[in-house]
Amino acid sequence: MRRFCRWGAALLLAALVGLALPECFHENRGQSRTYGTVGAGKLERPYLVPFSGRNFRYFSYISYYLWDNAYTHSQVCRTIVEAYRTCEETCPGSQFQLMECSNRRGGESCCITPTGTA
């Protein structure tokens, strides 16, 4: 039984690492293109938003690394990063959380909320 548990744990760990690899090695480059609607759209050349910065962090490791929900259009990604840079000056000491964006192929749009609010 112990041997089975060890193999099961090893397989689970390998699966989790395998699911996270695309985010670990993703390179943001080129100009994104979108098609369709917010809920039923398609995203080409997606940008992966940074997991964290000086005053923000993505809300969930699972959503970011395992469910691939941190991709967005290149212009949106640049806007998010620039907005957080501006907030460093205009809202010093504040921390923000970035909620889910779309997956690599498109889908739901992102939400940004200050930490501690719904």
Side-chain angles (χ1 to χ4, degrees):
M1 186 66 161
R2 279 187 177 175
R3 191 174 187 186
F4 176 75
C5 288
R6 283 188 201 148
W7 277 104
L11 285 173
L12 178 61
L13 180 61
L16 292 175
V17 169
L19 288 171
L21 284 177
E23 283 68 42
C24 294
F25 295 105
H26 182 83
E27 289 185 38
N28 293 338
R29 58 187 153 156
Q31 185 67 27
S32 299
R33 285 186 68 174
T34 56
Y35 305 93
T37 63
V38 171
K42 181 179 176 186
L43 179 60
E44 291 180 353
R45 290 182 299 280
Y47 270 47
L48 181 63
V49 298
F51 183 80
S52 64
R54 295 176 83 179
N55 61 347
F56 74 95
R57 103 180 249 292
Y58 200 79
F59 84 105
S60 166
Y61 289 103
I62 293 170
S63 179
Y64 191 92
Y65 289 106
L66 302 181
W67 293 342
D68 301 332
N69 286 334
Y71 291 90
T72 189
H73 191 281
S74 54
Q75 290 176 315
V76 173
C77 185
R78 287 186 205 107
T79 301
I80 290 170
V81 171
E82 185 58 36
Y84 284 130
R85 248 186 238 126
T86 300
C87 286
E88 284 181 50
E89 297 171 14
T90 59
C91 309
S94 295
Q95 290 292 310
F96 298 90
Q97 286 189 351
L98 177 63
M99 297 301 286
E100 290 182 343
C101 298
S102 74
N103 62 42
R104 271 180 281 189
R105 291 174 227 75
E108 298 296 318
S109 62
C110 70
C111 303
I112 301 172
T113 61
T115 301
T117 64

